[in-house]
Amino acid sequence: MTTQTTLSRTKAPFRADHVGSFLRPESIKKARKELAEGTITKEALREIENVEITRIVEKQIELGYKGITDGEFRRSYWHFDFLENLLGFEGYLAAQGKQFHNVVTSAHSVRNIGKIAFNPEHPFFADYAFLTEAVGDRAVAKVSIPSPNQLIRIGFRNEEIYPTLEEYAADLQQAYRDTILHFYSLGNRYIQIDDTFWGDLCSDKSLEIFGSQETYDELKRVATENVKNIQIGLPEDLVVTTHICRGNFRSSYSQEGAYEPIAKELFGETGFDGFFLEYDTDRAGGFEPLRYYTGDGQIILGLITSKTPELEDIAEVKARITEATKYVPLEQLCLSPQCGFASTEEGNNLTEEQQWAKLALVKQIADEVWGD
């Protein structure tokens, strides 16, 4: 594949992009332990986080990335830290964690305790303000938040507060719209909605997960409406992307299955400006489901794995990009790792040096394919 010098992008999502989370440095792990033991304050922890976030902002810019994140360094989880700070939810210790392939997560979860609403004091707003100041005008500060679909899973809705799923989803959607608009007021122009619920919907074990075809069909419908409705009325210059994941915990996964069962809804109806898709192994199937995508946004191919340290063969990655052009034009494709490097604070099984080598590889290939 020859370099396409006319296909470089100056608008998000970018030809070389990434999902967002990075391996937590030992300084943050140590400080979190000390906070739990009561030997340092929250303010002291935040100062350490500030230093490390500033460092990785500089590293991303040094590597040539245009979409910059804070590595999710202030979070323990990719999702719970956000969800439990929406009004109407709280975090708690569940009876058991989530089963992944050969490993189980911690038992932390969230539950619905009241009417759902936007929280103007959500801590993610201050976190984003710090990130955008660190990035300045050198690149685009990206924020990632979990999808509202994470909260329509069976067991999350309090039926005494919300007798119907429709009432529950309506308040959830409004809280998300208000949250996204507040990020926009802080200067955000690039937001990513992380979603593992679609991974459950396209799982080979979907009926085992959902119990019946009727429940599956209903929740797929609500999932589609959720992500469509949170985009209603958003400013035109706000780029809204989604990341579809089959699980990413300590280099393990939770689901297997091609995109085919959800392709028509996900690619044809949801209206995102970009789709970060897991394609690093055959667990996600082939590119054929992309035939349903007829939008003018970007398909970001997650062809580089964040789960293992070995670097992918450049020729093989380029060949897969070429294969994807059977369904989506090259000018509508981008490249990234399939997921973050640390969806939880434990992180995947590779070193920080290997993490940066993966991102350098993504950038190298993007430069050679698109002239990024």
Side-chain angles (χ1 to χ4, degrees), residues 211-225:
S212 70
Q213 187 66 49
E214 181 181 7
T215 299
Y216 175 90
D217 291 342
E218 178 187 31
L219 289 178
K220 182 162 70 168
R221 174 186 60 81
V222 173
T224 305
E225 291 175 355

Side-chain angles (χ1 to χ4, degrees), residues 247-258:
N248 186 56
F249 175 69
R250 287 184 166 176
S251 293
S252 188
Y253 63 91
S254 59
Q255 303 299 342
E256 300 184 53

Side-chain angles (χ1 to χ4, degrees), residues 142-162:
K142 178 170 83 168
V143 64
S144 61
I145 60 174
S147 171
N149 289 340
Q150 302 305 128
L151 291 169
I152 63 169
R153 295 172 182 275
I154 297 169
F156 277 81
R157 172 169 61 97
N158 186 325
E159 296 184 6
E160 293 184 0
I161 299 170
Y162 288 103

Side-chain angles (χ1 to χ4, degrees), residues 8 17 55 128 199 209 238 240 261 267 354:
S8 178
D17 218 315
R55 178 179 66 85
Y128 178 75
I209 294 169
L238 175 63
V240 184
F267 300 132
Q354 291 165 337

Side-chain angles (χ1 to χ4, degrees), residues 61-207:
I61 292 174
E62 175 190 324
L63 287 172
Y65 279 81
K66 302 172 186 175
I68 309 298
T69 75
D70 64 4
E72 302 181 5
F73 276 7
R74 304 195 199 274
R75 310 185 200 182
S76 294
Y77 308 88
W78 67 274
H79 52 341
F80 291 142
D81 299 72
F82 176 84
L83 299 175
E84 65 191 18
N85 281 292
L86 291 173
L87 298 183
F89 291 95
E90 70 172 5
Y92 76 105
L93 192 63
Q96 60 186 25
K98 181 177 175 61
Q99 179 67 55
F100 275 60
H101 182 69
N102 295 328
V103 66
V104 179
T105 69
S106 70
H108 193 88
S109 190
V110 296
R111 57 189 171 198
N112 177 210
I113 58 170
K115 287 290 186 179
I116 304 166
F118 161 69
N119 179 6
E121 303 300 322
H122 199 296
F124 275 38
F125 297 139
D127 297 347
Y128 178 75
F130 180 86
L131 174 64
T132 193
E133 183 176 348
V135 173
D137 61 1
R138 297 176 296 169
V140 179
K142 178 170 83 168
V143 64
S144 61
I145 60 174
S147 171
N149 289 340
Q150 302 305 128
L151 291 169
I152 63 169
R153 295 172 182 275
I154 297 169
F156 277 81
R157 172 169 61 97
N158 186 325
E159 296 184 6
E160 293 184 0
I161 299 170
Y162 288 103
T164 70
L165 181 58
E166 285 69 24
E167 294 173 286
Y168 179 78
D171 280 1
L172 186 59
Q173 292 161 18
Q174 186 62 54
Y176 263 78
R177 278 194 297 271
D178 292 341
T179 299
I180 293 170
L181 286 171
H182 192 73
F183 275 119
Y184 184 87
S185 75
L186 296 174
N188 179 252
R189 296 298 181 271
Y190 185 13
I191 192 165
Q192 175 182 297
I193 310 298
D194 294 323
D195 203 324
T196 64
F197 192 70
W198 291 104
D200 287 349
L201 288 168
C202 67
S203 170
D204 291 341
K205 299 179 180 179
S206 60
L207 289 185

Side-chain angles (χ1 to χ4, degrees), residues 247-290:
N248 186 56
F249 175 69
R250 287 184 166 176
S251 293
S252 188
Y253 63 91
S254 59
Q255 303 299 342
E256 300 184 53
Y259 292 99
E260 191 66 32
I262 60 171
K264 183 178 179 181
E265 293 81 6
L266 178 63
F267 300 132
E269 300 179 23
T270 58
F272 286 107
D273 297 310
F275 296 80
F276 284 81
L277 302 178
E278 177 180 335
Y279 269 122
D280 61 325
T281 71
D282 58 9
R283 288 189 294 105
F287 297 126
E288 293 83 2
L290 295 178

